[in-house]
Amino acid sequence: MNFSKTILAAALSLVPAMGMAQSLLNPNAITVQRYDAIPNFSGDSGIFCCATHVHRSGDEADYFHIRMVFDVAFSDEVDRVSINSSDILLMLPGAEEGLRAIGHFDHMPVYEPGATSIYARRPRDFPAETEQAFLDAVWVVPQGVTSATMQIGDPEDGNVLNVPLDLDVEVTSVLRPAATLSMAVSGVGVTDMLTLEERFNGQDVPGTIRPTGPGRLMQVDLTLTPAMSTDTDAQAGENQFFFYSDWIGVTGPDGLPLMPVGYETGRSYRVHWSTSISWEDQPRGSDFTLYFLGRAEPGVYRVYYLSDKVAEFRIE
């Protein structure tokens, strides 16, 4: 999957010049994007829809989102490649030490702090089929730096790949959440209590969810259809869209967010629940139900996916 073609052709033209005999990795696609700001959707701070946490590089530096796709030299003797994040360094001209990544994208456009590793395993039906390896991460680079080298591997064991990079690219923006999907509201309801029918270790553990204050429980039925594959580690021909239920929010007529109560799983309700949609030719829609705590007042309600409004509905 390729999120930008900004410097792809230029980057690929550098590949034959690299000394790659000592590495199991052979780059076949490289993308570099430069940002001034990155929304942080890790959930550690802020509110996605209404008070988004945004990293801002300032005047003295830029964020560089670097993505690499590698072919891996698997063999009968080599069944995997594993490179720790501490051995993935961005070397700037004249610098004695490399820079580690500050964050990464597992599923676009969800940025999360922390460096990432590279891992790939040889398929069972090798050599009829193979697997690629991926690097998708973000570095902080001082303003004015126009080139760098990605050093991948541990120099002490001699198994290192050095990839020259052109950082002289225009500033752009991180992919908008709304560009990755379409959302439709298929139903809305209001109730005063939810009944849970859960089982733990073979035993029934019934329960209820009931507002303790003036609010009511609002049911929102949704259909989410991916517009693209967002998995940054997807193999060629694979498509996957992944999200957590708390990435979806609703605001009331006053513009303030409703409190999430849970994603309906059939027997229970979970505030933080993951869903993955996979497809080959055409993405399919996924139907699900969310509950929120609100006053259920008449007016227009807006549905958000992360920071972007993607749908709305009205309560009369």
Side-chain angles (χ1 to χ4, degrees):
M1 179 173 54
N2 182 18
F3 299 109
S4 170
K5 298 181 180 178
T6 306
I7 66 160
L8 182 57
L12 285 176
S13 69
L14 298 171
V15 172
M18 304 172 199
M20 296 176 292
Q22 295 178 315
S23 177
L24 297 172
L25 301 176
N26 180 11
N28 71 10
I30 304 171
T31 304
V32 175
Q33 291 175 296
R34 176 182 167 196
Y35 306 137
D36 283 337
I38 299 177
N40 180 351
F41 295 129
S42 66
D44 291 335
S45 59
I47 302 173
F48 298 147
C49 71
C50 308
T52 307
H53 176 193
V54 179
H55 295 291
R56 302 191 183 278
S57 64
D59 296 333
E60 303 301 322
D62 289 301
Y63 299 127
F64 280 85
H65 175 194
I66 300 172
R67 173 171 170 77
M68 297 184 178
V69 182
F70 304 95
D71 293 329
V72 184
F74 292 118
S75 66
D76 292 338
E77 292 74 31
V78 177
D79 67 351
R80 73 188 67 186
V81 58
S82 180
I83 300 175
N84 192 280
S85 62
S86 61
D87 292 325
I88 304 172
L89 301 174
L90 190 67
M91 307 297 296
L92 304 186
E96 295 184 0
E97 296 185 0
L99 300 175
R100 293 187 64 184
I102 62 163
H104 63 280
F105 293 88
D106 287 336
H107 294 268
M108 292 296 296
V110 181
Y111 169 87
E112 297 187 39
T116 187
S117 59
I118 297 175
Y119 180 83
R121 188 178 182 89
R122 185 185 66 200
R124 292 183 179 179
D125 55 357
F126 177 85
E129 300 213 0
T130 190
E131 293 276 332
Q132 291 181 313
F134 304 89
L135 172 64
D136 198 296
V138 174
W139 278 261
V140 177
V141 178
Q143 185 76 278
V145 176
T146 59
S147 65
T149 299
M150 187 69 72
Q151 177 181 289
I152 301 173
D154 185 356
E156 292 187 2
D157 64 18
N159 189 18
V160 177
L161 172 66
N162 291 305
V163 184
L165 297 172
D166 180 6
L167 304 186
D168 190 15
V169 297
E170 296 295 325
V171 173
T172 186
S173 299
V174 179
L175 182 71
R176 297 290 306 185
T180 67
L181 70 130
S182 62
M183 188 88 76
V185 179
S186 57
V188 177
V190 179
T191 185
D192 293 314
M193 184 180 71
L194 298 176
T195 301
L196 288 72
E197 299 177 0
E198 300 174 293
R199 286 181 65 83
F200 294 99
N201 293 328
Q203 302 175 73
D204 293 329
V205 185
T208 60
I209 298 176
R210 187 195 302 268
T212 58
R216 303 190 70 191
L217 300 174
M218 297 181 56
Q219 173 185 330
V220 183
D221 301 320
L222 297 165
T223 300
L224 184 155
T225 304
M228 60 181 289
S229 177
T230 58
D231 185 358
T232 59
D233 285 353
Q235 298 292 324
E238 296 180 356
N239 297 285
Q240 185 181 72
F241 187 98
F242 176 90
F243 69 98
Y244 282 104
S245 56
D246 51 356
W247 292 358
I248 300 170
V250 174
T251 61
D254 58 2
L256 295 178
L258 279 59
M259 289 295 297
V261 173
Y263 179 107
E264 185 179 284
T265 66
R267 299 180 62 87
S268 186
Y269 306 89
R270 296 287 183 263
V271 173
H272 189 67
W273 187 263
S274 65
T275 298
S276 179
I277 305 172
S278 301
W279 69 95
E280 293 184 1
D281 299 323
Q282 293 293 328
R284 56 184 175 82
S286 180
D287 298 324
F288 54 94
T289 297
L290 295 172
Y291 287 87
F292 298 87
L293 178 64
R295 294 184 178 274
E297 298 174 333
V300 175
Y301 291 74
R302 294 169 175 83
V303 180
Y304 284 80
Y305 179 67
L306 297 170
S307 58
D308 288 2
K309 192 191 85 165
V310 291
E312 64 180 38
F313 61 90
R314 175 179 291 275
I315 291 182
E316 302 296 343

